[in-house]
Amino acid sequence: MSVSAIEPGHVELSLLRAIYRGAEQVSLPGHVWEEVDASRATIEARIADGGTYYGINTGFGLLANTRIANDDLAELQKRLVLSHACGTGDPLDDRVVRLVLTLKVIGLARGHSGVRREVVQALLRLIETEVYPLIPGQGSVGASGDLAPLAHMSAALLGVGEMRHRGRVMPAAEGLALAGLKPLVLEAKEGLALLNGTQVSTALALAGLFAVEDVFAAGVVAGALSTDALKGSVVPHDPRIHAARGQPGQMKVAAMLRRLLTGSAINGSHANCGKVQDPYSLRCQPQVMGACLDIMRSASATLQVEANAATDNPLIFAADNEILSGGNFHAEPVAFAADILAMAACEIGSISERRTAILVDPKMSGLPAFLVEESGLNSGFMIAQVTAAALVAENKQLAHPASVDSLPTSANQEDHVSMATHGARRLKLMAGNAAAVVAIELLAAAQGVEFHAPLATSEPLQLALARIREVAPHYDQDRYFAPDIAGVRALVEAGVFREIVPSLPSDGR
C-alpha cells in the first residue's frame, strides 16, 4: 500500500476514493505542523490573558455564557465528549470511518482549530494501523457539526467506547494499545474541535458518490447492451442533436453510447429497418443519464470543497491573532449534495428498469417471452423484472429530500439544521438498490444479445458480456436465479464497468 502526503485544502476526490477503498495510507507534509502549532499557541495565549472565549473557557450551545475556571478546562473537554456520545443504530462500516478520520485530519491540519499536533498524530495512527472507532450511524442532525458520531470517534481517543480492527470489536483502551497509543488527555478547545465539523456527513456523502458513480457506469453499459439487444436506433445519439441543446452531461453520455455501440454487427443488421422511433428509455438515454452525470459533477464539486474545509467552531486565525465564532459546522451544502445524488441513484435505476420491462415483453422486444426458450414451461426473467420494479419503488420513497426538513435542537439555540447525515447515509442503500436493478438489466440485455447470434455486439460490449458470463451463465432454462443477480451486482458495486465508462467525477478528469 502506497503512502500519499495529503495537502489540507487541496485533496482530490480521486485520492479520497483510494483512501476509502483502502488502497492508500496518508501522511501530512512538514509545513502543516507549523500551522497547527501556531493555532495552538493562539489558544494558549488567550487562556493566559484571562479573557472569556467561546468553546475555550465557556460552556456550549445555550450554556455559552457560562465561564469555566482554568483548572477545569481539561475536565470540560472530557465531559463534553462523553456527554455528546449519544449515537445509536448500526455502526458505520470501516471504510466510512477511515474516511471520517482522514477528513478530520484534513480539517484540523488546516491550522484553524487550535489543537495540539498530538491529536492529529493520534488520528493518523488509527488510520495507519486500521484500528477504527465504532461510530453509531444515527444521532446527528448535521448542524453544530456531526456531534454525536464525532463524539464516539473522540471518546475512543480517550479510551472510552469500542473500536474495531479487521472485524474484531474490542474496548477502546485495547484498541488504542493495539495502535500503539495511550488515551489522550484533551486540553482546552480540543474536544470541541473534534466534535464540531461535517466530517461524518461528508464521508457518508462521498461514499454515496463513489457508489452512485459505479452504478452510473454500469447503467450506461447496460443501456447500450439493451439498445443492441432490442435492435434500437443509434440515430438519437448523433452528436448534432446534443450540440443543439448544449447540456454537457448529455453530450458526454451520447458520446459514450456511440463508442460502446460502434462496430456492432447487430446494429448494422437493421440499419434500413422501418422502425421510426424507440421508447424513451432507449431514445432518451443521453438526456436522462446526462442529467444524472451533471448533478453528480455538481455534488462532487461541493463535496471536494467540503472534504478540504475547516468546519469546527470557533476558528483560529493565528496570523491575525483572532478567534472568530461562526457556523461552518452547518452541513447544508452536504445535505444538498446528498439530495441530488439520491435523485441520480433513483433515476439511473428507474430508466434501467423500464428497459428491462421492454426486454421481457415479446410484443415490444421481438425476443422470446421473458427472455427464455420454452416460455410457459420456463418463467425466465419474469420475476427478476418484478424485483427491479420493487427496488425502484423503494428508491423513489428514499429520494425525498432530507435538506428541506429541520427540527430545532439545543433549547432552540440550534434552531435550523441540515439533516445532512441521514440524507447522506441513505445513499449506500439507494446505490445498492440501483446496483441490483442495473444488474438485472445487464443479465437481461446479455440474454437478449445472445439471441441474435451469430451476429455479435461491439467489442466494448463483448467485454462487458464476458464479465457478466464469468459470474452468470446463459439462462437456458429456469434455475435458482438469485446468485446470478448477486454476482452481477457485485461486479457493479466493485466498479468493474468503470473500466468501460471512464472519466467520472471522482476520477479527477
Side-chain angles (χ1 to χ4, degrees):
M1 187 182 300
S2 60
V3 179
S4 292
I6 53 176
E7 183 70 46
H10 304 282
V11 181
E12 299 287 338
L13 288 182
S14 55
L15 177 55
L16 292 173
R17 181 157 58 91
I19 292 168
Y20 171 68
R21 293 184 170 168
E24 291 283 339
Q25 283 286 5
V26 298
S27 65
L28 288 170
H31 70 85
V32 165
W33 299 114
E34 298 173 10
E35 297 169 17
V36 170
D37 292 343
S39 178
R40 183 63 200 174
T42 302
I43 294 291
E44 299 289 353
R46 292 304 176 90
I47 294 171
D49 73 16
T52 300
Y53 305 101
Y54 172 72
I56 299 171
N57 54 11
T58 71
F60 309 100
L62 194 65
L63 306 175
N65 294 321
T66 303
R67 171 69 185 267
I68 309 298
N70 285 1
D71 289 346
D72 292 328
L73 295 185
E75 185 65 19
L76 171 69
Q77 298 302 311
K78 176 183 175 181
R79 293 187 186 188
L80 174 70
V81 169
L82 298 181
S83 68
H84 283 50
C86 297
T88 189
D90 294 335
L92 302 178
D93 72 52
D94 287 351
R95 297 195 302 174
V96 171
V97 176
R98 180 181 179 83
L99 204 48
V100 171
L101 295 172
T102 301
L103 298 183
K104 182 54 80 173
V105 165
I106 293 169
L108 297 179
R110 289 289 303 273
H112 296 301
S113 301
V115 302
R116 294 166 297 151
R117 62 170 63 191
E118 290 93 323
V119 175
V120 183
Q121 288 167 337
L123 295 170
L124 285 168
R125 182 63 179 166
L126 295 183
I127 298 168
E128 178 186 354
T129 57
E130 301 177 16
V131 179
Y132 302 120
L134 215 62
I135 301 177
Q138 294 172 282
S140 174
V141 295
S144 225
D146 292 312
L147 294 173
L150 286 174
H152 285 273
M153 178 201 77
S154 306
L157 292 172
L158 309 186
V160 178
E162 293 181 308
M163 304 183 86
R164 185 164 53 200
H165 176 65
R166 298 178 181 174
R168 183 169 73 89
V169 176
M170 64 197 76
E174 183 182 339
L176 291 176
L178 183 62
L181 294 170
K182 295 180 179 179
L184 277 177
V185 177
L186 297 176
E187 297 188 3
K189 175 68 166 66
E190 291 179 335
L192 186 60
L194 286 166
L195 299 194
N196 259 185
T198 64
Q199 286 81 23
V200 173
S201 296
T202 305
L204 286 165
L206 284 169
L209 169 67
F210 303 149
V212 173
E213 286 182 335
D214 291 338
V215 176
F216 173 87
V220 172
V221 172
L225 202 59
S226 289
T227 299
D228 236 12
L230 293 166
K231 293 188 173 181
S233 174
V234 295
V235 171
H237 310 322
D238 189 298
R240 292 169 293 183
I241 294 173
H242 306 288
R245 190 180 207 182
Q247 293 288 354
Q250 177 178 325
M251 292 188 289
K252 191 170 185 65
V253 171
M256 292 176 182
L257 291 167
R258 290 195 302 273
R259 184 180 63 81
L260 289 172
L261 289 162
T262 296
S264 167
I266 298 172
N267 180 259
S269 72
H270 61 90
N272 298 311
C273 70
K275 188 189 295 186
V276 178
Q277 289 185 333
D278 295 317
Y280 288 179
S281 59
L282 293 177
R283 193 183 351 149
C284 298
Q285 289 180 74
Q287 288 79 5
V288 174
M289 295 295 278
C292 291
L293 180 59
D294 282 336
I295 63 173
M296 286 160 55
R297 290 195 181 283
S298 175
S300 71
T302 295
L303 295 176
Q304 180 164 335
V305 170
E306 194 72 8
N308 283 282
T311 55
D312 59 292
N313 183 62
L315 293 176
I316 291 86
F317 296 88
D320 304 320
N321 194 30
E322 287 199 69
I323 299 175
L324 304 179
S325 186
N328 281 2
F329 49 67
H330 199 297
E332 194 82 351
V334 182
F336 282 174
D339 281 345
I340 62 176
L341 286 171
M343 292 165 57
C346 193
E347 284 298 275
I348 292 166
S350 177
I351 196 169
S352 172
E353 183 277 330
R354 288 293 77 207
R355 292 189 296 262
T356 299
I358 297 172
L359 284 161
V360 301
D361 184 348
K363 300 185 298 295
M364 295 286 289
S365 69
L367 297 168
F370 300 108
L371 298 170
V372 68
E373 300 287 2
E374 297 185 274
S375 51
L377 175 60
N378 292 307
S379 294
F381 281 68
M382 179 188 296
I383 304 304
Q385 186 267 326
V386 174
T387 297
L391 294 171
V392 168
E394 185 175 330
N395 269 2
K396 288 178 182 178
Q397 293 177 330
L398 290 168
H400 180 81
S403 59
V404 299
D405 190 17
S406 179
L407 284 171
T409 62
S410 193
N412 280 307
Q413 176 73 4
E414 298 157 8
D415 60 344
H416 184 278
V417 299
S418 73
M419 301 299 182
T421 321
H422 67 261
R425 193 180 68 246
R426 70 182 154 163
L427 294 175
K428 179 181 179 181
L429 175 58
M430 293 188 71
N433 289 344
V437 173
V438 172
I440 290 168
E441 184 191 0
L442 285 165
L443 285 162
Q447 190 83 354
V449 162
E450 288 170 341
F451 279 124
H452 295 305
L455 295 175
T457 188
S458 66
E459 288 188 10
L461 293 181
Q462 287 181 52
L463 174 61
L465 184 58
R467 297 307 300 267
I468 294 165
R469 291 298 175 232
E470 287 174 5
V471 298
H474 180 81
Y475 197 100
D476 54 356
Q477 63 180 37
D478 283 346
R479 62 173 184 262
Y480 188 45
F481 205 160
D484 292 9
I485 298 171
V488 178
R489 174 178 172 170
L491 295 179
V492 174
E493 294 180 327
V496 165
F497 298 98
R498 292 178 81 117
E499 302 165 8
I500 305 171
V501 180
S503 300
L504 297 179
S506 73
D507 293 328
R509 296 190 295 276

